[in-house]
Amino acid sequence: MRPAPLWLLVTLQAAVSAASLVVEIVAGRMLAPYVGMSLYTWTSVIAVVLAGFSVGHWIGGRLAEHPRGLALTGWGLVAAAFSTALAGVALRASAPLLMEIGSPVGAITALTLAAFFLPSLFAGIPAPVLTQVSLAAPQGQGRALGAMFAAGAVGAIAGTLLAGFVFISWLGSAWTLAAVTGVYLCAAALCLWLARRLSAAPVMALVALAVAAGLLAARPGPCTVESRYFCLQSIDVAADPTRPTRAMVIDHLVHGISARDAPEVMFTPHTAMLDALSRLRAPQPGFSSFHIGGGNYALPRAFAARGSGPVTVAEIDPAVTALAERDFWFDPASATILHEDARRALLLSLVRYDVIIGDAFTDTAVPQHLVTSEFFALVAGRLTPGGSYLMNVIDYADRMQATGSLVATLRRHFPVIEVWTEARRPAPGERVVMVIAAGHSRTETDSFAVPAPERTTFAALGPGFVDRLAAEAMVLTDDFAPIDRLVGARD
Protein backbone atom coordinates (compact mmCIF):
# COMPACT_ATOMS: atom_id res chain seq x y z
CA MET A 1 0.00 0.00 0.00
CA ARG A 2 1.30 3.47 -0.89
CA PRO A 3 1.88 5.82 2.03
CA ALA A 4 -1.01 8.27 1.99
CA PRO A 5 -0.64 11.86 3.19
CA LEU A 6 -3.27 12.90 5.69
CA TRP A 7 -4.58 15.73 3.48
CA LEU A 8 -5.39 13.24 0.73
CA LEU A 9 -7.30 10.94 3.09
CA VAL A 10 -9.15 13.92 4.56
CA THR A 11 -10.14 15.10 1.08
CA LEU A 12 -11.27 11.62 0.10
CA GLN A 13 -13.36 11.23 3.25
CA ALA A 14 -14.95 14.67 2.79
CA ALA A 15 -15.81 13.92 -0.84
CA VAL A 16 -17.46 10.59 -0.04
CA SER A 17 -19.36 12.12 2.90
CA ALA A 18 -20.56 15.02 0.74
CA ALA A 19 -21.69 12.67 -2.02
CA SER A 20 -23.63 10.50 0.44
CA LEU A 21 -25.51 13.52 1.83
CA VAL A 22 -26.31 14.71 -1.68
CA VAL A 23 -28.00 11.35 -2.27
CA GLU A 24 -29.98 11.75 0.96
CA ILE A 25 -31.37 15.13 -0.13
CA VAL A 26 -32.10 13.86 -3.64
CA ALA A 27 -33.92 10.87 -2.14
CA GLY A 28 -36.65 13.11 -0.78
CA ARG A 29 -37.08 14.80 -4.15
CA MET A 30 -37.19 11.51 -6.06
CA LEU A 31 -39.78 10.01 -3.71
CA ALA A 32 -42.07 13.04 -4.02
CA PRO A 33 -43.77 12.02 -7.32
CA TYR A 34 -44.75 8.72 -5.71
CA VAL A 35 -45.58 9.48 -2.07
CA GLY A 36 -45.36 13.25 -1.74
CA MET A 37 -43.06 15.42 0.32
CA SER A 38 -44.23 15.17 3.90
CA LEU A 39 -42.99 14.69 7.44
CA TYR A 40 -43.38 10.94 6.92
CA THR A 41 -41.27 11.05 3.74
CA TRP A 42 -38.35 12.85 5.36
CA THR A 43 -38.54 10.74 8.50
CA SER A 44 -38.30 7.61 6.36
CA VAL A 45 -35.44 8.99 4.26
CA ILE A 46 -33.36 10.00 7.27
CA ALA A 47 -33.99 6.70 9.07
CA VAL A 48 -33.17 4.53 6.04
CA VAL A 49 -30.04 6.50 5.14
CA LEU A 50 -28.76 6.39 8.73
CA ALA A 51 -29.47 2.65 8.84
CA GLY A 52 -27.46 2.21 5.64
CA PHE A 53 -24.58 4.26 7.01
CA SER A 54 -24.61 2.20 10.22
CA VAL A 55 -24.38 -1.13 8.42
CA GLY A 56 -21.73 0.29 6.11
CA HIS A 57 -19.64 1.56 9.01
CA TRP A 58 -19.82 -1.89 10.63
CA ILE A 59 -18.66 -3.54 7.41
CA GLY A 60 -15.95 -0.91 7.04
CA GLY A 61 -14.74 -1.65 10.55
CA ARG A 62 -14.29 -5.30 9.61
CA LEU A 63 -12.48 -4.33 6.38
CA ALA A 64 -10.15 -2.01 8.32
CA GLU A 65 -8.59 -5.15 9.86
CA HIS A 66 -8.26 -6.92 6.51
CA PRO A 67 -4.86 -6.92 4.72
CA ARG A 68 -6.56 -5.80 1.50
CA GLY A 69 -9.04 -3.54 3.23
CA LEU A 70 -8.29 -0.42 1.16
CA ALA A 71 -8.64 -2.29 -2.13
CA LEU A 72 -11.91 -3.85 -0.99
CA THR A 73 -13.08 -0.38 0.02
CA GLY A 74 -12.35 0.76 -3.53
CA TRP A 75 -14.64 -1.92 -4.90
CA GLY A 76 -17.19 -1.02 -2.25
CA LEU A 77 -17.19 2.50 -3.70
CA VAL A 78 -17.75 1.01 -7.14
CA ALA A 79 -20.81 -0.68 -5.63
CA ALA A 80 -21.85 2.69 -4.14
CA ALA A 81 -21.58 4.22 -7.60
CA PHE A 82 -23.72 1.57 -9.26
CA SER A 83 -26.35 1.38 -6.53
CA THR A 84 -26.62 5.17 -6.72
CA ALA A 85 -26.92 5.06 -10.50
CA LEU A 86 -29.63 2.43 -10.21
CA ALA A 87 -31.61 4.23 -7.47
CA GLY A 88 -34.01 5.79 -9.95
CA VAL A 89 -34.44 2.49 -11.77
CA ALA A 90 -35.09 0.68 -8.47
CA LEU A 91 -37.64 3.31 -7.48
CA ARG A 92 -39.57 3.11 -10.76
CA ALA A 93 -39.46 -0.70 -10.80
CA SER A 94 -40.59 -1.21 -7.20
CA ALA A 95 -43.20 1.57 -7.01
CA PRO A 96 -46.08 -0.33 -8.68
CA LEU A 97 -45.74 -3.18 -6.19
CA LEU A 98 -44.81 -1.30 -3.02
CA MET A 99 -47.42 1.43 -3.49
CA GLU A 100 -50.05 -1.27 -2.96
CA ILE A 101 -49.02 -1.63 0.68
CA GLY A 102 -52.05 -0.67 2.74
CA SER A 103 -50.22 1.65 5.14
CA PRO A 104 -48.91 4.94 3.66
CA VAL A 105 -46.04 4.92 6.16
CA GLY A 106 -45.22 1.35 5.19
CA ALA A 107 -45.26 2.21 1.49
CA ILE A 108 -42.98 5.22 2.01
CA THR A 109 -40.52 3.21 4.09
CA ALA A 110 -40.50 0.29 1.66
CA LEU A 111 -39.86 2.55 -1.35
CA THR A 112 -37.05 4.32 0.47
CA LEU A 113 -35.44 1.02 1.42
CA ALA A 114 -35.70 -0.31 -2.14
CA ALA A 115 -33.99 2.69 -3.70
CA PHE A 116 -31.65 4.23 -1.13
CA PHE A 117 -30.57 1.69 1.49
CA LEU A 118 -27.78 0.12 -0.61
CA PRO A 119 -26.27 3.44 -1.78
CA SER A 120 -26.06 4.53 1.86
CA LEU A 121 -24.64 1.19 2.99
CA PHE A 122 -21.79 1.22 0.45
CA ALA A 123 -21.10 4.92 1.09
CA GLY A 124 -20.67 4.14 4.79
CA ILE A 125 -17.85 1.63 4.25
CA PRO A 126 -14.88 3.97 3.57
CA ALA A 127 -14.93 6.02 6.81
CA PRO A 128 -13.51 3.34 9.19
CA VAL A 129 -10.99 2.10 6.61
CA LEU A 130 -9.71 5.58 5.72
CA THR A 131 -9.52 6.47 9.40
CA GLN A 132 -7.46 3.34 10.08
CA VAL A 133 -5.09 4.25 7.23
CA SER A 134 -4.80 7.82 8.54
CA LEU A 135 -3.46 6.58 11.86
CA ALA A 136 -0.22 5.68 10.11
CA ALA A 137 0.29 9.30 9.02
CA PRO A 138 3.28 11.07 10.63
CA GLN A 139 1.11 13.84 12.16
CA GLY A 140 0.07 11.68 15.10
CA GLN A 141 -2.99 9.58 15.80
CA GLY A 142 -4.94 12.19 17.73
CA ARG A 143 -4.60 14.78 15.00
CA ALA A 144 -5.43 12.21 12.35
CA LEU A 145 -8.59 11.09 14.16
CA GLY A 146 -9.75 14.67 14.64
CA ALA A 147 -9.09 15.51 11.00
CA MET A 148 -11.00 12.49 9.71
CA PHE A 149 -14.03 13.11 11.93
CA ALA A 150 -14.01 16.79 10.94
CA ALA A 151 -13.74 15.83 7.26
CA GLY A 152 -16.83 13.67 7.54
CA ALA A 153 -18.83 16.47 9.19
CA VAL A 154 -17.62 19.19 6.80
CA GLY A 155 -18.32 16.94 3.83
CA ALA A 156 -21.84 16.27 5.08
CA ILE A 157 -22.49 19.99 5.48
CA ALA A 158 -21.07 20.74 2.03
CA GLY A 159 -23.11 17.95 0.42
CA THR A 160 -26.33 19.17 2.02
CA LEU A 161 -25.75 22.76 0.88
CA LEU A 162 -24.67 21.78 -2.61
CA ALA A 163 -27.65 19.47 -3.09
CA GLY A 164 -30.22 21.99 -1.88
CA PHE A 165 -28.82 25.17 -3.38
CA VAL A 166 -26.88 24.07 -6.45
CA PHE A 167 -27.20 20.55 -7.83
CA ILE A 168 -30.96 19.91 -7.76
CA SER A 169 -31.89 23.38 -8.98
CA TRP A 170 -29.27 23.43 -11.76
CA LEU A 171 -28.88 19.76 -12.72
CA GLY A 172 -32.06 18.05 -11.52
CA SER A 173 -32.22 14.80 -9.58
CA ALA A 174 -31.10 12.46 -12.38
CA TRP A 175 -27.97 14.38 -13.37
CA THR A 176 -27.16 15.01 -9.70
CA LEU A 177 -27.10 11.24 -9.14
CA ALA A 178 -24.93 10.92 -12.25
CA ALA A 179 -22.48 13.43 -10.74
CA VAL A 180 -22.43 11.54 -7.43
CA THR A 181 -21.80 8.31 -9.36
CA GLY A 182 -18.75 9.96 -10.90
CA VAL A 183 -17.47 11.10 -7.50
CA TYR A 184 -17.77 7.57 -6.10
CA LEU A 185 -15.91 6.08 -9.08
CA CYS A 186 -13.10 8.63 -8.76
CA ALA A 187 -12.87 7.84 -5.04
CA ALA A 188 -12.80 4.12 -5.89
CA ALA A 189 -9.93 4.67 -8.33
CA LEU A 190 -7.99 6.60 -5.69
CA CYS A 191 -8.46 3.83 -3.10
CA LEU A 192 -7.30 1.19 -5.60
CA TRP A 193 -4.30 3.34 -6.52
CA LEU A 194 -3.32 3.75 -2.88
CA ALA A 195 -3.71 -0.02 -2.43
CA ARG A 196 -1.48 -0.62 -5.49
CA ARG A 197 -4.36 -2.42 -7.21
CA LEU A 198 -4.95 0.04 -10.04
CA SER A 199 -3.48 -1.61 -13.13
CA ALA A 200 -4.57 -1.17 -16.76
CA ALA A 201 -7.40 -3.70 -16.53
CA PRO A 202 -9.13 -2.10 -13.53
CA VAL A 203 -8.75 1.34 -15.14
CA MET A 204 -10.51 0.19 -18.30
CA ALA A 205 -13.18 -1.55 -16.21
CA LEU A 206 -13.77 1.61 -14.18
CA VAL A 207 -14.07 3.74 -17.33
CA ALA A 208 -16.63 1.34 -18.78
CA LEU A 209 -18.48 1.25 -15.47
CA ALA A 210 -18.44 5.04 -15.27
CA VAL A 211 -20.05 5.38 -18.69
CA ALA A 212 -22.69 2.74 -17.94
CA ALA A 213 -23.44 4.12 -14.48
CA GLY A 214 -23.68 7.68 -15.77
CA LEU A 215 -26.16 6.65 -18.44
CA LEU A 216 -28.26 4.78 -15.88
CA ALA A 217 -28.23 7.62 -13.35
CA ALA A 218 -29.05 10.31 -15.90
CA ARG A 219 -32.25 8.67 -17.14
CA PRO A 220 -34.99 11.30 -16.89
CA GLY A 221 -37.59 10.97 -14.16
CA PRO A 222 -41.32 11.68 -14.28
CA CYS A 223 -41.07 15.47 -13.96
CA THR A 224 -41.99 17.83 -16.79
CA VAL A 225 -40.13 20.50 -14.83
CA GLU A 226 -38.00 19.93 -11.74
CA SER A 227 -37.80 23.16 -9.80
CA ARG A 228 -36.09 24.17 -6.60
CA TYR A 229 -39.23 23.20 -4.73
CA PHE A 230 -41.27 20.61 -6.63
CA CYS A 231 -41.51 17.95 -9.27
CA LEU A 232 -43.99 19.46 -11.73
CA GLN A 233 -45.89 17.52 -14.37
CA SER A 234 -48.17 18.80 -17.11
CA ILE A 235 -50.50 16.01 -18.25
CA ASP A 236 -52.93 16.10 -21.14
CA VAL A 237 -56.35 14.85 -19.94
CA ALA A 238 -58.48 16.04 -22.86
CA ALA A 239 -61.08 13.66 -24.28
CA ASP A 240 -61.23 15.82 -27.42
CA PRO A 241 -57.81 16.78 -28.88
CA THR A 242 -59.32 19.92 -30.43
CA ARG A 243 -60.30 21.20 -26.96
CA PRO A 244 -57.13 20.82 -24.86
CA THR A 245 -57.44 20.21 -21.14
CA ARG A 246 -54.44 19.70 -18.87
CA ALA A 247 -53.75 18.71 -15.28
CA MET A 248 -50.89 20.08 -13.21
CA VAL A 249 -49.38 17.50 -10.86
CA ILE A 250 -47.15 18.87 -8.11
CA ASP A 251 -45.11 16.04 -6.63
CA HIS A 252 -47.77 13.29 -6.58
CA LEU A 253 -51.06 15.21 -6.35
CA VAL A 254 -53.18 16.95 -8.97
CA HIS A 255 -53.23 20.62 -7.98
CA GLY A 256 -55.50 21.84 -10.76
CA ILE A 257 -57.08 21.13 -14.13
CA SER A 258 -57.75 23.75 -16.78
CA ALA A 259 -59.39 23.79 -20.19
CA ARG A 260 -58.20 26.21 -22.83
CA ASP A 261 -61.71 27.04 -24.00
CA ALA A 262 -63.46 27.17 -20.62
CA PRO A 263 -61.52 29.45 -18.25
CA GLU A 264 -64.51 29.91 -15.93
CA VAL A 265 -65.20 26.19 -15.44
CA MET A 266 -63.55 24.52 -12.47
CA PHE A 267 -62.52 20.86 -12.85
CA THR A 268 -61.86 19.93 -9.21
CA PRO A 269 -64.17 20.13 -6.18
CA HIS A 270 -61.92 22.43 -4.17
CA THR A 271 -61.53 25.03 -6.92
CA ALA A 272 -65.27 24.86 -7.64
CA MET A 273 -66.04 25.61 -3.97
CA LEU A 274 -63.40 28.33 -3.66
CA ASP A 275 -64.61 29.99 -6.86
CA ALA A 276 -68.29 29.93 -5.92
CA LEU A 277 -67.81 30.91 -2.28
CA SER A 278 -65.59 33.84 -3.30
CA ARG A 279 -68.46 35.26 -5.33
CA LEU A 280 -71.13 34.42 -2.77
CA ARG A 281 -69.26 35.97 0.15
CA ALA A 282 -67.54 38.94 -1.54
CA PRO A 283 -68.70 42.26 -0.07
CA GLN A 284 -68.92 43.83 -3.55
CA PRO A 285 -69.09 42.60 -7.20
CA GLY A 286 -65.65 43.91 -8.16
CA PHE A 287 -63.80 42.32 -5.25
CA SER A 288 -60.06 42.16 -4.64
CA SER A 289 -58.49 38.79 -3.90
CA PHE A 290 -55.24 37.43 -2.52
CA HIS A 291 -54.37 33.83 -3.40
CA ILE A 292 -52.05 31.78 -1.19
CA GLY A 293 -50.53 29.40 -3.73
CA GLY A 294 -50.94 29.54 -7.47
CA GLY A 295 -51.02 25.92 -8.61
CA ASN A 296 -52.15 25.89 -12.22
CA TYR A 297 -53.68 29.35 -11.66
CA ALA A 298 -57.21 28.12 -12.46
CA LEU A 299 -58.84 30.52 -9.98
CA PRO A 300 -56.89 33.69 -10.92
CA ARG A 301 -57.56 32.86 -14.59
CA ALA A 302 -61.31 32.50 -13.92
CA PHE A 303 -61.41 35.72 -11.86
CA ALA A 304 -59.66 37.59 -14.67
CA ALA A 305 -62.02 36.13 -17.31
CA ARG A 306 -65.01 37.44 -15.34
CA GLY A 307 -63.40 40.78 -14.54
CA SER A 308 -63.94 40.14 -10.85
CA GLY A 309 -61.37 42.65 -9.65
CA PRO A 310 -57.66 42.96 -8.84
CA VAL A 311 -55.94 39.63 -8.20
CA THR A 312 -52.73 39.08 -6.23
CA VAL A 313 -51.06 35.66 -6.09
CA ALA A 314 -48.29 34.60 -3.70
CA GLU A 315 -46.65 31.56 -5.30
CA ILE A 316 -43.31 30.62 -3.81
CA ASP A 317 -42.07 28.73 -6.87
CA PRO A 318 -41.47 30.76 -10.07
CA ALA A 319 -41.40 27.49 -12.03
CA VAL A 320 -45.06 26.87 -11.13
CA THR A 321 -46.01 30.24 -12.56
CA ALA A 322 -43.94 29.66 -15.69
CA LEU A 323 -45.59 26.27 -16.28
CA ALA A 324 -49.06 27.76 -15.72
CA GLU A 325 -48.28 30.40 -18.33
CA ARG A 326 -46.82 27.89 -20.79
CA ASP A 327 -49.27 24.99 -20.49
CA PHE A 328 -52.38 26.29 -18.69
CA TRP A 329 -53.22 29.46 -20.65
CA PHE A 330 -52.63 31.82 -17.73
CA ASP A 331 -51.85 35.43 -18.62
CA PRO A 332 -49.37 36.77 -16.03
CA ALA A 333 -50.42 40.33 -16.87
CA SER A 334 -53.87 39.60 -15.40
CA ALA A 335 -52.57 39.41 -11.82
CA THR A 336 -49.92 40.74 -9.49
CA ILE A 337 -47.63 37.79 -8.82
CA LEU A 338 -45.38 37.60 -5.76
CA HIS A 339 -42.80 34.83 -5.86
CA GLU A 340 -42.40 34.54 -2.11
CA ASP A 341 -43.94 32.84 0.89
CA ALA A 342 -47.52 34.02 1.37
CA ARG A 343 -47.13 34.69 5.09
CA ARG A 344 -44.15 36.92 4.42
CA ALA A 345 -46.03 38.69 1.62
CA LEU A 346 -48.97 39.48 3.88
CA LEU A 347 -46.69 40.52 6.72
CA LEU A 348 -44.73 43.02 4.62
CA SER A 349 -47.75 44.64 2.95
CA LEU A 350 -50.57 46.65 4.53
CA VAL A 351 -52.92 46.11 1.57
CA ARG A 352 -56.36 44.77 2.50
CA TYR A 353 -58.35 42.34 0.38
CA ASP A 354 -62.02 41.42 0.12
CA VAL A 355 -61.22 37.72 -0.18
CA ILE A 356 -58.10 35.80 0.85
CA ILE A 357 -57.89 32.24 -0.51
CA GLY A 358 -55.63 29.59 1.05
CA ASP A 359 -54.75 26.80 -1.36
CA ALA A 360 -51.16 25.87 -0.49
CA PHE A 361 -50.22 22.29 0.32
CA THR A 362 -47.22 20.23 1.29
CA ASP A 363 -48.38 16.76 0.31
CA THR A 364 -51.96 16.51 1.69
CA ALA A 365 -51.48 18.99 4.55
CA VAL A 366 -51.34 22.77 4.57
CA PRO A 367 -47.84 23.98 5.54
CA GLN A 368 -47.58 24.34 9.31
CA HIS A 369 -46.86 28.08 9.31
CA LEU A 370 -50.13 28.69 7.39
CA VAL A 371 -52.47 27.02 9.91
CA THR A 372 -51.59 28.75 13.18
CA SER A 373 -53.43 31.27 15.32
CA GLU A 374 -50.69 33.82 14.65
CA PHE A 375 -51.11 33.43 10.89
CA PHE A 376 -54.90 33.64 11.07
CA ALA A 377 -54.55 36.86 13.09
CA LEU A 378 -52.44 38.24 10.26
CA VAL A 379 -55.06 37.17 7.70
CA ALA A 380 -57.85 38.80 9.70
CA GLY A 381 -55.87 42.03 9.74
CA ARG A 382 -55.47 42.00 5.96
CA LEU A 383 -59.19 41.65 5.17
CA THR A 384 -61.50 44.54 4.39
CA PRO A 385 -64.62 44.97 6.58
CA GLY A 386 -66.95 42.18 5.56
CA GLY A 387 -64.13 40.25 3.88
CA SER A 388 -63.72 36.46 4.01
CA TYR A 389 -60.93 33.94 4.35
CA LEU A 390 -61.40 30.67 2.42
CA MET A 391 -59.04 27.75 2.82
CA ASN A 392 -58.85 24.34 1.20
CA VAL A 393 -58.56 21.37 3.59
CA ILE A 394 -58.13 17.62 3.06
CA ASP A 395 -59.15 15.31 5.90
CA TYR A 396 -60.53 11.85 6.61
CA ALA A 397 -64.33 11.92 6.85
CA ASP A 398 -64.47 9.55 9.81
CA ARG A 399 -61.91 11.46 11.85
CA MET A 400 -61.70 15.16 10.89
CA GLN A 401 -59.19 16.00 13.61
CA ALA A 402 -57.36 18.49 11.39
CA THR A 403 -60.61 20.19 10.40
CA GLY A 404 -61.67 20.48 14.03
CA SER A 405 -58.36 22.07 15.01
CA LEU A 406 -58.52 24.52 12.12
CA VAL A 407 -62.06 25.55 13.11
CA ALA A 408 -61.04 25.95 16.77
CA THR A 409 -58.03 28.06 15.76
CA LEU A 410 -59.93 30.23 13.28
CA ARG A 411 -62.61 30.94 15.90
CA ARG A 412 -60.07 32.93 17.86
CA HIS A 413 -60.12 35.54 15.10
CA PHE A 414 -63.40 35.16 13.16
CA PRO A 415 -66.91 35.03 14.65
CA VAL A 416 -68.38 32.87 11.86
CA ILE A 417 -66.83 29.64 10.59
CA GLU A 418 -68.41 27.38 7.96
CA VAL A 419 -67.20 24.06 6.58
CA TRP A 420 -68.23 23.21 3.02
CA THR A 421 -67.94 19.96 1.10
CA GLU A 422 -69.66 17.94 -1.60
CA ALA A 423 -73.29 17.16 -0.71
CA ARG A 424 -73.04 13.37 -0.52
CA ARG A 425 -72.33 10.74 2.10
CA PRO A 426 -68.61 9.86 2.01
CA ALA A 427 -67.48 6.25 1.99
CA PRO A 428 -66.06 4.87 5.27
CA GLY A 429 -62.49 6.05 5.70
CA GLU A 430 -62.65 8.27 2.60
CA ARG A 431 -60.39 11.28 2.40
CA VAL A 432 -62.54 14.27 1.50
CA VAL A 433 -61.90 17.78 0.22
CA MET A 434 -63.45 20.66 2.17
CA VAL A 435 -63.33 24.44 2.19
CA ILE A 436 -63.46 26.39 5.44
CA ALA A 437 -65.03 29.85 5.16
CA ALA A 438 -64.20 32.35 7.90
CA GLY A 439 -65.61 35.84 8.27
CA HIS A 440 -68.09 38.03 10.09
CA SER A 441 -71.32 36.82 8.47
CA ARG A 442 -72.79 33.58 7.19
CA THR A 443 -73.07 32.73 3.52
CA GLU A 444 -76.53 33.62 2.20
CA THR A 445 -77.21 30.00 1.23
CA ASP A 446 -76.38 26.66 2.79
CA SER A 447 -75.87 24.89 -0.57
CA PHE A 448 -75.12 25.64 -4.20
CA ALA A 449 -74.58 23.73 -7.44
CA VAL A 450 -71.86 24.61 -9.95
CA PRO A 451 -69.96 22.82 -12.76
CA ALA A 452 -66.99 20.84 -11.43
CA PRO A 453 -66.99 20.09 -14.43
CA GLU A 454 -70.25 18.10 -14.12
CA ARG A 455 -72.84 20.02 -12.20
CA THR A 456 -72.16 19.24 -8.53
CA THR A 457 -73.95 20.27 -5.36
CA PHE A 458 -71.94 21.48 -2.37
CA ALA A 459 -73.31 22.15 1.10
CA ALA A 460 -72.25 23.56 4.45
CA LEU A 461 -71.96 21.12 7.34
CA GLY A 462 -74.46 21.69 10.12
CA PRO A 463 -73.38 24.28 12.73
CA GLY A 464 -73.93 21.77 15.54
CA PHE A 465 -71.64 19.23 13.88
CA VAL A 466 -68.97 21.90 13.33
CA ASP A 467 -69.27 22.89 17.00
CA ARG A 468 -68.67 19.28 18.06
CA LEU A 469 -65.62 19.05 15.80
CA ALA A 470 -64.07 22.10 17.44
CA ALA A 471 -65.15 21.38 21.02
CA GLU A 472 -62.25 19.11 21.95
CA ALA A 473 -59.80 20.11 19.21
CA MET A 474 -56.45 21.68 19.89
CA VAL A 475 -55.65 25.27 18.92
CA LEU A 476 -52.70 25.42 16.53
CA THR A 477 -49.90 27.89 17.26
CA ASP A 478 -46.50 28.73 15.85
CA ASP A 479 -45.07 26.83 18.80
CA PHE A 480 -47.05 23.64 18.13
CA ALA A 481 -48.99 22.89 14.95
CA PRO A 482 -48.83 19.13 14.22
CA ILE A 483 -51.06 19.35 11.15
CA ASP A 484 -49.37 16.36 9.49
CA ARG A 485 -50.24 14.16 12.45
CA LEU A 486 -53.78 15.49 12.66
CA VAL A 487 -54.42 14.75 8.99
CA GLY A 488 -52.61 11.52 9.70
CA ALA A 489 -51.25 8.57 7.79
CA ARG A 490 -53.76 5.79 8.18
CA ASP A 491 -52.42 2.41 9.28
Side-chain angles (χ1 to χ4, degrees), residues 141-175:
Q141 293 186 349
R143 186 178 300 180
L145 283 172
M148 294 302 290
F149 277 107
V154 170
I157 294 169
T160 302
L161 295 175
L162 287 171
F165 297 143
V166 180
F167 289 147
I168 292 176
S169 59
W170 288 97
L171 298 179
S173 298
W175 280 106

Side-chain angles (χ1 to χ4, degrees), residues 10-11 23 38 59 67 89 114 121 133 185 199 210 214 228 269 287 289 314 408 424 426 431 452 456:
V10 165
T11 302
V23 174
S38 66
I59 294 173
V89 177
L121 183 155
V133 174
L185 288 172
S199 58
R228 290 183 175 91
F287 61 90
S289 61
R424 63 175 179 82
R431 195 163 59 185
T456 305

Side-chain angles (χ1 to χ4, degrees), residues 268-467:
T268 58
H270 78 279
T271 52
M273 285 188 283
L274 291 170
D275 182 38
L277 286 167
S278 295
R279 288 177 281 149
L280 287 169
R281 296 181 60 87
Q284 55 191 348
F287 61 90
S288 60
S289 61
F290 182 92
H291 299 251
I292 300 172
N296 74 328
Y297 281 76
L299 282 173
R301 182 171 174 247
F303 285 15
R306 296 192 191 99
S308 298
V311 174
T312 302
V313 182
E315 169 53 60
I316 197 169
D317 191 350
V320 171
T321 303
L323 188 61
E325 180 182 356
R326 190 190 82 184
D327 288 0
F328 294 88
W329 310 282
F330 171 68
D331 178 6
S334 64
T336 299
I337 301 171
L338 309 174
H339 287 132
E340 60 181 322
D341 179 79
R343 182 163 174 172
R344 181 176 185 273
L346 287 172
L347 184 65
L348 296 180
S349 173
L350 298 179
V351 176
R352 291 174 178 262
Y353 303 91
D354 296 318
V355 178
I356 295 178
I357 298 174
D359 190 21
F361 277 82
T362 301
D363 196 39
T364 57
V366 182
Q368 290 186 6
H369 69 296
L370 302 181
V371 298
T372 66
S373 179
E374 293 85 348
F375 174 67
F376 293 150
L378 174 62
V379 168
R382 295 296 181 266
L383 286 170
T384 59
S388 296
Y389 175 56
L390 308 173
M391 70 175 297
N392 182 18
V393 182
I394 300 174
D395 207 350
Y396 286 99
D398 58 356
R399 190 161 52 190
M400 298 188 70
Q401 292 178 332
T403 306
S405 287
L406 289 169
V407 171
T409 307
L410 282 163
R411 280 184 169 173
R412 289 195 162 191
H413 309 284
F414 297 93
V416 176
I417 308 295
E418 299 171 347
V419 180
W420 291 78
T421 190
E422 193 173 342
R424 63 175 179 82
R425 182 179 295 275
E430 180 182 354
R431 195 163 59 185
V432 297
V433 175
M434 292 166 284
V435 167
I436 299 178
H440 292 269
S441 61
R442 304 200 74 83
T443 308
E444 294 180 354
T445 180
D446 60 2
S447 68
F448 56 84
V450 292
E454 301 297 328
R455 195 160 189 83
T456 305
T457 300
F458 300 94
L461 300 181
F465 180 74
V466 175
D467 289 342

Side-chain angles (χ1 to χ4, degrees), residues 38-114:
S38 66
L39 176 66
Y40 302 111
T41 307
W42 280 113
T43 300
S44 178
V45 168
I46 294 170
V48 167
V49 169
L50 288 177
F53 287 162
S54 299
V55 176
H57 292 334
W58 180 84
I59 294 173
R62 300 295 296 270
L63 293 182
E65 300 174 352
H66 195 281
R68 297 178 56 239
L70 193 57
L72 293 172
T73 298
W75 291 112
L77 283 167
V78 171
F82 257 83
S83 57
T84 299
L86 288 168
V89 177
L91 189 59
R92 287 189 289 271
S94 61
L97 175 64
L98 298 179
M99 290 292 290
E100 296 301 317
I101 295 175
S103 166
V105 172
I108 293 170
T109 304
L111 277 174
T112 310
L113 281 167

Side-chain angles (χ1 to χ4, degrees), residues 188-286:
L190 184 56
C191 286
L192 292 171
W193 178 76
L194 290 172
R196 296 184 180 274
R197 299 285 178 177
L198 194 63
S199 58
V203 167
M204 295 177 63
L206 284 175
V207 170
L209 289 171
V211 173
L215 291 174
L216 286 171
R219 288 185 61 187
C223 309
T224 302
V225 175
E226 188 172 10
S227 73
R228 290 183 175 91
Y229 297 93
F230 307 113
C231 170
L232 307 173
Q233 299 178 63
S234 176
I235 301 174
D236 185 3
V237 294
D240 181 356
T242 65
R243 304 179 65 184
T245 303
R246 297 183 184 128
M248 178 183 284
V249 178
I250 300 181
D251 289 338
H252 72 134
L253 295 177
V254 174
H255 279 244
I257 301 174
S258 294
R260 183 193 64 188
D261 303 324
E264 298 179 29
V265 175
M266 299 295 107
F267 285 78
T268 58
H270 78 279
T271 52
M273 285 188 283
L274 291 170
D275 182 38
L277 286 167
S278 295
R279 288 177 281 149
L280 287 169
R281 296 181 60 87
Q284 55 191 348

